[in-house]
Amino acid sequence: MKRILIIRSSAIGDIVMASPLIKGLRKKYPDAHIGWLVDPAVQDLLHCHPDLDQVICWSKSLWKKYLQQGSLISLVKSMQGVASYLRSQEFDGVVDAQGLFRSRLFALLSGAEERIGFHSAEPGKMFMTRIISKDPDDTAMSSEYYHLLESLGIETHDCHPELILNPVDMENARKKLRQQGITGAYAVICPFTTRPQKHWFARRWVALAKEIETRLALPVVLLGGFADQEASRAICPGGKGHPLNFTGVTTLGESAAIIQGTRLLIGVDTGLTHMGTAFHRPTVALFGATRPYLYTRSPLTKVVYHSMACSPCRRSPTCDGAFYCMESIHVHGVWKIIDELISVKEDPHACSAH
């Protein structure tokens, strides 16, 4: 394959976990042109990767808007535009790392002769020239992507989740940290994601942040998106000793830069938490209703997950909002893991707030 298109349009965590595909494909095809089709909301995670030649944006929200408005003509025109552009790029190989009907449709629309993708229950298998089963050992981060690469004859021992940041985002992140008085080491907490059953409890985040500030003498930065601002007030009501609330005031690239420089990260099943692994930062992942993985190739990431009869329930909780899986995770248990991780030698190339 001389011109390869990776399809994995979203979301943040999935982009992070699929990122080993870039290095793997570059090893196999050192002279190939490699592109990635992605939603514009997460494109900042890919633009600066040295082994990626092209980032192509497709807006799912725009197509969804056309459908909701009944604007079928606009939808068809947009689809024709995407198809025309993809064909103009003359890709001869597609790696569909999503396994959805729409990702398979994009593979077909690209005109590539070789179209490789994951097995799934989604329609559109006939659009693909090769279907690859996902790794049955799904307890490891990025396991399905390693399995895909290995199915293509690519060694994966040196392929890991990897993000390369824009220097502008790194400098903007440093400025925002300095504006809040942070000029040295700090910790990050990432409490928010798309579903309430994946959340830990605000009172425990408050208690954990105080422990970090007291025992490690580290200021604590709270990260999240604009939609998380209301929820963040339960953790950051203001005043001395509370986490510094950066929720909704940083771009995705700036949030990534803050995570790259952190001394410690604790978070739930959200893309920002997965970034901690990609940047080789000491990371504690709190999983319950979902369990994307139980371990990683990084010794600096530890997963806290207490298996229950009903877990992982994913999108169908049966506990009427009690969320026993997350309730079973206590501050003292998290602290034990933090104590272990904080003594591990960190990556000397990680940036800081200086």
Side-chain angles (χ1 to χ4, degrees):
M1 294 189 287
K2 296 182 179 179
R3 294 184 63 84
I4 304 168
L5 176 65
I6 300 170
I7 301 177
R8 177 81 232 193
S9 59
S10 61
I12 297 171
D14 294 313
I15 298 299
V16 173
M17 287 189 273
S19 60
L21 291 173
I22 302 173
K23 185 170 185 178
L25 290 170
R26 178 59 67 199
K27 285 201 305 178
K28 176 78 171 181
Y29 307 99
D31 299 320
H33 176 97
I34 302 177
W36 191 308
L37 181 69
V38 70
D39 190 281
V42 291
Q43 62 177 311
D44 289 351
L45 300 181
L46 297 171
H47 269 299
C48 293
H49 200 294
D51 287 326
L52 195 62
D53 299 297
Q54 183 181 20
V55 176
I56 302 172
C57 289
W58 162 74
S59 177
K60 175 184 174 181
S61 61
L62 180 62
W63 283 20
K64 186 176 181 180
K65 177 182 176 183
Y66 289 151
L67 282 173
Q68 290 173 339
Q69 295 177 343
S71 304
L72 296 182
I73 294 177
S74 298
L75 177 61
V76 170
K77 285 183 178 179
S78 181
M79 291 177 68
Q80 290 174 334
V82 172
S84 176
Y85 181 78
L86 289 177
R87 287 183 177 273
S88 74
Q89 299 305 296
E90 299 181 338
F91 291 109
D92 55 10
V94 169
V95 175
D96 171 18
Q98 205 151 5
L100 300 177
F101 172 74
R102 66 169 179 266
S103 60
R104 291 169 174 170
L105 179 61
F106 284 133
L108 181 67
L109 294 176
S110 73
E113 292 184 5
E114 189 167 4
R115 302 181 296 278
I116 304 163
F118 286 127
H119 171 79
S120 73
E122 291 267 333
K125 291 186 182 70
M126 72 289 295
F127 298 162
M128 312 305 291
T129 59
R130 183 179 176 188
I131 295 291
I132 296 174
S133 64
K134 292 188 177 181
D135 188 352
D137 177 18
D138 63 354
T139 59
M141 183 180 187
S142 301
S143 60
E144 64 265 51
Y145 307 110
Y146 296 140
H147 182 65
L148 191 155
L149 289 172
E150 288 161 2
S151 298
L152 298 176
I154 301 171
E155 290 286 341
T156 65
H157 67 278
D158 59 345
C159 297
H160 307 284
E162 181 181 36
L163 298 176
I164 308 299
L165 298 180
N166 187 325
V168 174
D169 288 332
M170 296 175 70
E171 180 56 32
N172 288 340
R174 292 188 183 101
K175 287 180 180 178
K176 291 183 177 182
L177 288 168
R178 286 197 295 266
Q179 287 170 359
Q180 295 298 321
I182 299 178
T183 57
Y186 56 91
V188 168
I189 58 174
C190 302
F192 309 115
T193 185
T194 53
R195 286 173 259 161
Q197 62 266 34
K198 293 164 51 171
H199 288 171
W200 206 29
F201 300 93
R203 66 183 185 279
R204 293 189 180 172
W205 284 116
V206 172
L208 180 63
K210 289 180 179 178
E211 289 280 331
I212 294 170
E213 291 165 349
T214 301
R215 296 196 192 189
L216 300 179
L218 293 175
V220 178
V221 173
L222 172 62
L223 290 180
F226 183 80
D228 303 316
Q229 287 185 316
E230 182 176 350
S232 73
R233 297 187 187 103
I235 301 173
C236 300
K240 186 177 180 181
H242 290 291
L244 297 170
N245 194 349
F246 279 56
T247 306
V249 300
T250 55
T251 66
L252 179 58
E254 291 165 358
S255 294
I258 290 173
I259 290 171
Q260 186 186 51
T262 190
R263 179 76 172 86
L264 171 70
L265 184 149
I266 306 97
V268 296
D269 179 13
T270 184
L272 297 181
T273 301
H274 305 320
M275 286 185 191
T277 302
F279 290 126
H280 307 291
R281 313 311 298 149
T283 299
V284 183
L286 312 181
F287 296 159
T290 54
R291 188 220 65 196
Y293 53 83
L294 290 178
Y295 63 94
T296 77
R297 293 186 176 185
S298 170
L300 294 178
T301 295
K302 299 297 181 183
V303 172
V304 180
Y305 173 71
H306 300 152
S307 180
M308 297 187 170
C310 57
S311 63
C313 64
R314 305 186 188 280
R315 296 179 182 271
S316 304
T318 59
C319 59
D320 295 323
F323 306 139
Y324 300 113
C325 53
M326 300 304 287
E327 178 69 35
S328 69
I329 300 174
H330 297 280
V331 173
H332 64 82
V334 175
W335 185 258
K336 286 182 180 179
I337 295 175
I338 291 173
D339 206 27
E340 294 172 6
L341 280 179
I342 213 71
S343 63
V344 178
K345 185 176 181 180
E346 296 181 27
D347 183 350
H349 301 295
C351 74
S352 69
H354 294 292

